Amino acid sequence: MTNDQFLSLFRTMLIIRHTEEELARCHQRGLIFGACHTYVGQEAISTGVCAHLTNDDPIFSTHRGHGHALAKGMPPRELMAELFGRATGCSRGRGGSMHLFSPEIGMMGTSGIVGPCILQACGGGYSSKLMKTGRVAAAFFGDGAVNNGAFHEGLNMAAIWKLPVLFICENNQFATEVPFSYSSGSPHVGRRAANYGLPGFEVDGNDVLAVTEVAREAVARARSGGGATLIECKTYRTRAHAEGMGDFTYRTREQVDEWKLRCPIASLRQRLLTEFGIAEAQLQQVESEITALVAESRQFAESSPLPDAATAAVNVYATRKTGIPARPASNADGQNRPSSGDPSRVITFTQATHEALSEEMAVNPTIFVMGEGIGIRGGNFKTTAGLYDLYGPERLCDTPISERGFVGLAGGAAMTGTRPVIDFMFADFILDSVGEIVNQIAKMQYMSSGRLKMPVLLRGCIGIGHSAATHHSGSYYAMYAQVPGLRVVVPSNAYDAKGLLKHALRCDDPVMFLEHREILTTKCHVPTEDYEIEFGRAAIVRVGRDVTVVALARMVHLTLSVCEELERDGISVELVDPRTVSPLDTDTILQSVAKTGRLLIVDEPPAPCGFAAEIAAQVTDAGFDDLDAPIRRLTGVFTPTPYSPPLEAAVVPTAAMIADAIRSLVKE
Amino acid sequence: MSHEIVIPRLGWSMEEGTFVGWLKKDGDLVRRGDAVFELEGEKASQDIEAVDEGILRIPPTGPKPGSLLKVGAVVGYLVAAGEETLWTVPSPMTNSPPALESALPPAAAPSVRRQAREAGIAINDVAGTGPGGRVMAADVHRTRTSPQQQEPVTALPIANPRPTHGRSAVASPRARRVAAELGLNWSTLTGTGANGRIRERDVRAAAASGHSSTSAARAGQRLPLTSRRRVIAQRMVASRQQTVPVTLTTKADATNLVNLREQFKRREPLKSVGGSTPIPSYQDIITKLVAEVLKRHPRLASRWDEDAIVLPADDELHLGLAVDTEEGLLVPVIRNVGGLSLSELAGQSRRLADQARAGKLVATEMQGGVFTITNLGAFGIDAFTPVINLPEAAILGLGAIRREPVVLDDGQIAARHQLTLSLTFDHRIVDGAPAARFLQDVVNAIANPSAWLLG
Ligand SMILES: Cc1ncc(C[n+]2csc(CCOP(=O)(O)OP(=O)(O)O)c2C)c(N)n1
Ligand SMILES: [Mg+2]
């Protein structure tokens, strides 16, 4: 290494130290809000690793992330402004200490949740591999994360797919106040790598030169296709877990003081003077430069404007499409569908979604599919049949049974420019990955102020029928619709399914695409020409006069089946299929209710806080004066789904129940 | 210990009032301060609050909506639980100890209510035999099968069966909206929905069959006198008989007044706690100006009091505003106009006029006036002869503001805004010349409003 490189390491560590100390001071004075976890004592690790990374190499970090951001090149003023809650902060005031974003320099974000960064780095590695960019991703995490499932699933995936990833474990011996010696059966992390088939190293995390050395090798291995490396850096944080927290209930002052003597900055300084012949004056000059830099940064932060409250809900969703050339206008109303050359072309729901996926995969090389059995086998529900032969194992990637793992990976992949499609088979399995979806994927566009796009498509089968029993029957869309940042799509027919899936594959938002298993073989006309259905546009499936029925998926079919009979009895039903639960097209529903004065919502899942409740509330709010009768809900029974046919049938609305509900509503 | 509920006196001249209706039901627990009934007094109707506490007992001979009652008439009683009222006929069961009495409507499980509903029986009419008088399924069943044989097992100490309360009409929100759009009074319609709910179709059917909502007078009809009409008549006659009215009319140049109001209109709306401040009307501005002028001519705001003429203090310049309502003329009073800012005055006049039209003025809001302003300008009237509002000394009538050719001092003819003023004063109190001087100052104030508004 050259003297300049040594000085650069010294400089970076010093920036981190001084910035942290200034932030600690500001925290004490109440100038910054919320939690503030400092990196004091651990500076050598991020400094040594990031020395080998470029702005294109993505890093993913954790709650103790200031040092990672600074080592990756974030100016201290942006970090400080963020903690001061200013519009000039790296996350525009949306994140604070635990949510630092600067994708421009490969700082893909820190997370307040322990674990996800490991999976996201795998996603960064997956993008690199798929797009052959040669980029190396790194995850920084504490000893607390290594007993979390994300560590296990992430290292295993990185191993089997040979992902270009560095897993940097900063073992500072405590997770908050819980000693690693207590929480782990083995005192060492590095040697766990062998069990995953990965190279693992244990290094003195307070020796920046040692860290730099191992990291250099690991980065080179990753760039040359040699896969991932786990590096355990043994270290110690010499300030409390977070500013303002007590420090001496679980460790002693003497222990902390002892570690302070092993200060990574002081020891490098000493070696620069004695071993590498750098002059004292040169070091002092660096020191005074950085003192000035940090003072100026604080001043910048304090004098920066606060964010405009009017922007508090901006960037929850992506605002513009990227990557795909403009398409012909969509036919979103479901009424005037484009007519193809062959109007008799009738295909199933599954064929329609298959067409959408394969057509989009053909034009968009960033799309890849992950799931269990979606490769050669072509998917449990034939969702990817034949695609493996066309696009190969990287774009049709069979996974281990690591739902949380590959969903977390998908998040990281989307953050780094690819477009994952996760095929869950059964939507019930999504629940194993909800933290990644709700806390990471759905929030990422917002937290990064729209600088990251999150085109993640999550698809799976929902619905009750054929004695699938309770772990293969769930729907849960109302739950997902409560999450800002997610789109929730529940199509009822082949035509809609194709158009909606196309839109999902072209938009930049995370989409939960839920396919009712009992209607996968239903058929309708689907044109060969390209079309797209925008989200938030309900279809009026049937025009009527007396009562509005809102339903999704299979309930649309059931309702439709009773409309003729009711019509003969003089009851004219208008059937509205919102097609997407989020966004929800309340305008169309309100317009229909304004006409009919009556509203029944039919929904397969149980009622509490559900889809029907939401529509009822919105119509009561905005359409009260149009109501000529109370709003009625007909929903599934509030119970897990039983197996035996008579039990199963007893928990779902039937056609007869729908007809009865309509008749009684008309009498109200 | 029972307390009488009587017809109170709502204003200085009130002798009798029209009973509008009960706000509580027989058997209800009434607490001090609860509104018990509605009474149409002198000019507006008012909710009458209980001054005592107890269970409301309405005698069978109690007042019917619309009855005219003398002040002091007893309309009902508040009794202690278990206490009998004078007109109570002992029931065959009074020997047995009455069950714990509830002041609430009878308790009944939802399923029981549903059964009653299905049987077309009002739950309130069913005698409950369950604990605490709770209506049980069997009670509903008995009532349904043999309504005549129903034993008076009621726990209440009155034997006469409770009046069958007609279900208060229920209409769907849509029915209400459509009724409003069609100008139809839905409360008189019969509903065809569940439980008799009035639905849109009922309203439309009524509209189609020519159902009329408004109580608009039809030719050849004989309209019974409302108490408000009576009061207006009495006071008009009294004014004619007791005063010596003289009316002066003149014209004021209102060009500056019109300009001033244009300026107010152009100002950004101000947000105040209760919403945005209204733009002062011409009448508001003139009211304010008149208050200023009255400070110089207090005699016009004085009162004839047997052996003296009582002049108002500056902070007693309470001005009445004549408001035309569907039920007749009302004169709400704005207190201490001199002490109000123009926007406060505008807010108050709007509120009082709205309340007057909604029949929601309370008596005190129509008392204490020293001078009244009445405005027929909106109807295109110029001069008229307003009638003095007793016991005041004068009333100012405002005519329409019109653009008219005016010969200016320099002989030029110009289009100016002109306003005709009609001042009626009581010659017993004021002579012609001082009244004319007052009117001259009013003319001056209207011609130069900004200067006078400075106070
Ligand atoms: C999934 C999850 N569980 C619990 C927490 C609360 N928490 C925040 S920091 C922390 C300790 C983390 O320890 P470690 O990973 O060793 O990082 P260090 O704080 O030592 O840098 C915990 C438990 C969290 N943020 N996320
Ligand atoms: Mg730790």
Side-chain angles (χ1 to χ4, degrees):
Chain A
M1 285 215 290
T2 64
N3 276 7
D4 276 354
Q5 285 170 320
F6 287 130
L7 274 176
S8 162
L9 295 177
F10 180 66
R11 237 185 112 76
T12 303
M13 288 204 288
L14 216 53
I15 289 176
I16 298 172
R17 174 69 56 92
H18 281 240
T19 304
E20 292 290 42
E21 285 176 345
E22 190 62 30
L23 285 171
R25 217 166 284 135
C26 294
H27 190 275
Q28 269 164 20
R29 294 186 189 145
L31 298 173
I32 57 181
F33 326 100
C36 175
H37 306 87
T38 71
Y39 200 62
V40 173
Q42 306 180 198
E43 295 91 344
I45 302 165
S46 63
T47 303
V49 172
C50 291
H52 307 292
L53 302 179
T54 72
N55 280 352
D56 289 336
D57 295 320
I59 70 165
F60 302 82
S61 143
T62 180
H63 59 284
R64 197 174 302 289
H66 305 173
H68 307 132
L70 294 170
K72 197 72 178 36
M74 181 183 292
R77 49 157 61 190
E78 278 185 32
L79 173 67
M80 292 188 121
E82 184 58 29
L83 274 91
F84 273 84
R86 304 304 159 124
T88 53
C90 63
S91 306
R92 315 294 184 250
R94 288 181 170 197
S97 168
M98 285 188 281
H99 307 273
L100 308 172
F101 289 89
S102 188
E104 302 78 10
I105 57 165
M107 177 66 206
M108 308 310 286
T110 66
S111 167
I113 305 291
V114 168
C117 63
I118 297 176
L119 304 171
Q120 288 161 3
C122 291
Y126 205 89
S127 287
S128 167
K129 206 171 166 215
L130 188 68
M131 305 313 293
K132 306 196 181 359
T133 55
R135 292 173 186 170
V136 174
F140 292 90
F141 51 92
D143 48 288
V146 307
N147 299 319
N148 182 282
F151 177 84
H152 166 66
E153 298 188 14
L155 264 67
N156 186 55
M157 290 189 301
I160 62 172
W161 296 322
K162 272 202 170 321
L163 301 180
V165 180
L166 268 59
F167 297 106
I168 311 296
C169 172
E170 307 185 35
N171 185 352
N172 62 12
Q173 305 176 41
F174 295 96
T176 319
E177 62 290 302
V178 181
F180 191 63
S181 59
Y182 166 86
S183 59
S184 173
S186 154
H188 304 292
V189 174
R191 57 197 74 170
R192 292 193 192 184
N195 294 334
Y196 296 102
L198 287 180
F201 298 88
E202 293 164 7
V203 60
D204 178 356
N206 283 28
D207 179 348
V208 70
L209 300 182
V211 173
T212 307
E213 262 332 287
V214 229
R216 183 200 315 282
E217 274 175 42
V219 169
R221 185 166 37 249
R223 279 208 212 285
S224 60
T229 304
L230 170 65
I231 302 170
E232 178 191 9
C233 305
K234 306 222 187 236
T235 184
Y236 203 87
R237 61 170 159 76
T238 51
R239 292 190 69 82
H241 171 73
E243 287 311 296
M245 276 174 77
D247 209 15
F248 300 114
T249 52
Y250 60 96
R251 60 185 192 179
T252 66
R253 201 176 286 278
E254 290 68 36
Q255 286 165 334
V256 175
D257 287 343
E258 204 175 297
W259 273 93
K260 280 185 181 163
L261 293 177
R262 298 172 58 180
C263 170
I265 301 173
S267 58
L268 177 66
R269 192 180 201 284
Q270 189 57 32
R271 290 180 69 186
L272 293 183
L273 285 172
T274 54
E275 286 178 42
F276 304 103
I278 294 179
E280 171 69 27
Q282 220 174 338
L283 296 177
Q284 279 181 7
Q285 194 199 328
V286 172
E287 282 159 350
S288 57
E289 255 172 47
I290 287 165
T291 308
L293 172 70
V294 170
E296 178 272 330
S297 299
R298 175 178 163 179
Q299 229 242 307
F300 170 83
E302 272 186 297
S303 58
S304 285
L306 287 162
D308 179 357
T311 63
V314 171
N315 293 127
V316 176
Y317 294 97
T319 46
R320 85 196 138 78
K321 298 179 179 188
T322 55
I324 296 291
R327 306 270 171 165
S330 60
N331 287 272
D333 58 5
Q335 301 299 313
N336 47 357
R337 300 171 172 185
S339 55
S340 73
D342 177 8
S344 67
R345 197 179 94 102
V346 174
I347 59 173
T348 65
F349 191 110
T350 304
Q351 286 168 329
T353 57
H354 188 281
E355 274 184 10
L357 178 63
S358 61
E359 285 169 21
E360 287 305 301
M361 286 190 81
V363 296
N364 188 345
T366 67
I367 298 176
F368 67 98
V369 186
M370 273 192 170
E372 293 150 22
I374 57 88
I376 295 174
R377 183 181 164 208
N380 194 52
F381 295 108
K382 297 277 163 276
T383 46
T384 54
L387 297 181
Y388 183 89
D389 296 337
L390 292 174
Y391 303 116
E394 266 167 22
R395 296 188 66 194
L396 284 123
C397 178
D398 272 325
T399 62
I401 305 166
S402 303
E403 275 74 11
R404 178 185 177 189
F406 56 77
V407 170
L409 179 151
M415 291 161 80
T416 50
T418 52
R419 186 177 280 271
V421 175
I422 302 294
D423 188 332
F424 281 98
M425 278 186 272
F426 289 91
D428 305 77
F429 310 152
I430 299 177
L431 295 178
D432 274 27
S433 61
V434 163
E436 301 303 321
I437 296 171
V438 172
N439 262 327
Q440 308 296 326
I441 292 172
K443 293 178 180 173
M444 206 61 84
Q445 301 198 76
Y446 179 82
M447 295 308 292
S448 69
S449 319
R451 288 175 291 165
L452 291 173
K453 301 284 176 229
M454 293 302 285
V456 181
L457 174 61
L458 304 151
R459 69 185 296 194
C461 286
I462 59 168
I464 299 174
H466 287 95
S467 287
T470 197
H471 287 159
H472 297 75
S473 299
S475 288
Y476 306 110
Y477 43 75
M479 187 173 98
Y480 300 121
Q482 293 186 330
V483 179
L486 277 187
R487 304 289 196 192
V488 183
V489 182
V490 187
S492 68
N493 61 73
Y495 176 87
D496 287 353
K498 182 172 180 185
L500 291 163
L501 191 63
K502 283 243 165 172
H503 187 69
L505 287 165
R506 293 169 185 177
C507 80
D508 283 329
D509 293 322
V511 179
M512 190 73 88
F513 193 89
L514 302 172
E515 300 151 270
H516 199 293
R517 205 183 56 246
E518 299 294 309
I519 58 175
L520 291 182
T521 54
T522 60
K523 294 183 176 182
C524 72
H525 169 62
V526 176
T528 43
E529 64 193 84
D530 184 58
Y531 67 97
E532 193 177 323
I533 298 174
E534 275 175 48
F535 299 156
R537 313 278 290 267
I540 296 169
V541 178
R542 185 184 194 279
V543 177
R545 179 189 67 235
D546 297 324
V547 55
T548 300
V549 178
V550 177
L552 293 166
R554 176 165 175 260
M555 293 299 133
V556 173
H557 297 257
L558 284 195
T559 305
L560 210 48
S561 73
V562 300
C563 287
E564 284 315 307
E565 168 202 328
L566 290 164
E567 187 78 48
R568 280 194 296 278
D569 294 349
I571 300 171
S572 156
V573 176
E574 178 145 308
L575 176 56
V576 178
D577 173 3
R579 305 194 282 201
T580 59
V581 182
S582 174
L584 182 62
D585 182 359
T586 34
D587 285 350
T588 298
I589 297 170
L590 283 165
Q591 276 161 25
S592 178
V593 173
K595 180 166 66 165
T596 63
R598 290 180 166 66
L599 174 61
L600 169 70
I601 308 123
V602 183
D603 197 26
E604 183 178 293
C609 300
F611 167 71
E614 173 62 20
I615 292 176
Q618 296 223 30
V619 171
T620 309
D621 263 0
F624 186 71
D625 290 331
D626 290 326
L627 288 170
D628 207 17
I631 299 172
R632 289 272 181 257
R633 291 179 289 168
L634 177 62
T635 68
V637 177
F638 189 55
T639 170
T641 311
Y643 160 74
S644 176
L647 295 178
E648 185 191 62
V651 303
V652 202
T654 61
M657 289 161 78
I658 296 172
D660 282 353
I662 293 171
R663 285 181 203 284
S664 100
L665 181 54
V666 170
K667 290 202 200 94
E668 275 292 344
Chain B
M1 172 69 191
S2 79
H3 304 279
E4 293 176 345
I5 302 173
V6 300
I7 298 290
R9 191 184 298 276
L10 299 180
W12 59 274
S13 70
M14 174 170 161
E15 296 302 334
E16 48 194 15
T18 306
F19 187 83
V20 178
W22 289 103
L23 300 171
K24 294 276 182 186
K25 290 195 301 298
D26 183 71
D28 280 354
L29 175 65
V30 173
R31 296 182 190 284
R32 219 163 272 129
D34 283 356
V36 191
F37 64 97
E38 199 182 343
L39 182 67
E40 195 181 275
E42 274 210 286
K43 284 186 173 178
S45 63
Q46 199 165 320
D47 291 352
I48 306 305
E49 294 175 1
V51 288
D52 302 302
E53 200 158 294
I55 290 165
L56 177 62
R57 286 285 172 255
I58 302 171
T61 55
K64 302 281 167 287
S67 358
L68 195 62
L69 296 171
K70 290 254 176 286
V71 168
V74 176
V75 293
Y77 299 86
L78 294 175
V79 303
E83 188 184 348
E84 289 181 13
T85 43
L86 292 174
W87 68 90
T88 304
V89 184
S91 82
M93 299 284 289
T94 40
N95 293 344
S96 60
L100 196 64
E101 182 175 347
S102 165
L104 299 170
S111 62
V112 175
R113 290 177 186 274
R114 177 178 49 76
Q115 288 170 32
R117 219 160 45 226
E118 285 164 4
I121 296 170
I123 197 88
N124 289 3
D125 297 345
V126 181
T129 59
R134 191 179 183 82
V135 177
M136 311 302 283
D139 301 330
V140 172
H141 187 68
R142 191 173 45 248
T143 310
R144 176 168 49 193
T145 48
S146 53
Q148 314 87 332
Q149 299 161 16
Q150 185 194 342
E151 286 293 318
V153 287
T154 166
L156 293 169
I158 43 171
N160 55 317
R162 277 197 256 173
T164 312
H165 299 294
R167 268 189 67 90
S168 63
V170 173
S172 73
R174 186 186 185 92
R176 290 166 197 249
R177 192 202 70 203
V178 172
E181 285 163 7
L182 299 175
L184 216 113
N185 178 2
W186 58 263
S187 63
T188 58
L189 303 181
T190 313
T192 58
N195 303 331
R197 186 189 292 119
I198 297 159
R199 308 184 289 176
E200 180 192 11
R201 64 185 60 186
D202 303 322
V203 176
R204 295 213 183 269
S209 69
H211 183 103
S212 146
S213 61
T214 48
S215 49
R218 284 193 302 276
Q221 212 185 2
R222 187 180 153 86
L223 297 173
L225 287 180
T226 62
S227 59
R228 185 177 302 166
R229 196 70 247 161
R230 271 181 229 268
V231 170
I232 293 172
Q234 280 164 10
R235 299 190 59 180
M236 291 298 164
V237 171
S239 178
R240 276 291 161 180
Q241 285 171 348
Q242 290 169 26
T243 67
V244 183
V246 178
T247 302
L248 306 178
T249 65
T250 185
K251 273 189 181 176
D253 186 315
T255 309
N256 288 341
L257 183 76
V258 172
N259 289 340
L260 182 64
R261 182 144 188 281
E262 283 308 312
Q263 291 169 32
F264 290 149
K265 280 204 263 186
R266 255 177 257 131
R267 174 170 168 187
E268 284 291 306
L270 283 183
K271 288 284 173 210
S272 66
V273 187
S276 62
T277 318
I279 299 160
S281 64
Y282 292 124
Q283 182 171 322
D284 291 333
I285 304 170
I286 294 172
T287 303
K288 182 70 187 163
L289 293 170
V290 165
E292 292 306 320
V293 177
L294 280 172
K295 286 182 187 167
R296 300 186 183 188
H297 303 270
R299 212 173 164 100
L300 271 290
S302 65
R303 169 161 61 82
W304 181 273
D305 187 19
E306 302 296 327
D307 55 355
I309 287 171
V310 184
L311 298 180
D314 273 3
D315 62 358
E316 285 172 348
L317 289 174
H318 312 314
L319 302 196
L321 296 179
V323 176
D324 173 50
T325 76
E326 239 176 77
E327 310 298 327
L329 173 70
L330 284 179
V331 187
V333 173
I334 302 181
R335 311 256 134 207
N336 185 16
V337 173
L340 295 180
S341 74
L342 195 49
S343 53
E344 287 167 340
L345 175 94
Q348 287 202 23
S349 72
R350 185 133 335 166
R351 177 181 62 80
L352 289 169
D354 287 348
Q355 285 182 355
R357 293 197 184 95
K360 297 274 184 243
L361 282 180
V362 298
T364 52
E365 283 170 325
M366 291 183 291
Q367 291 163 357
V370 297
F371 186 92
T372 295
I373 293 175
T374 176
N375 184 355
L376 293 180
F379 306 102
I381 302 298
D382 292 322
F384 56 109
T385 55
V387 177
I388 293 166
N389 187 20
L390 278 182
E392 296 166 9
I395 180 166
L396 181 66
L398 308 181
I401 295 179
R402 304 177 187 281
R403 292 194 82 184
E404 289 175 359
V406 170
V407 182
L408 300 180
D409 290 345
D410 59 6
Q412 299 276 4
I413 293 179
R416 305 282 294 180
H417 287 283
Q418 297 292 105
L419 162 65
T420 305
L421 301 172
S422 308
L423 175 75
T424 301
F425 62 95
D426 184 351
H427 214 317
R428 290 180 308 161
I429 303 177
V430 203
D431 291 335
R437 275 197 289 276
F438 164 76
L439 192 56
Q440 219 174 9
D441 274 353
V442 173
V443 167
N444 199 309
I446 289 171
N448 305 290
S450 308
W452 283 77
L453 285 174
L454 280 177

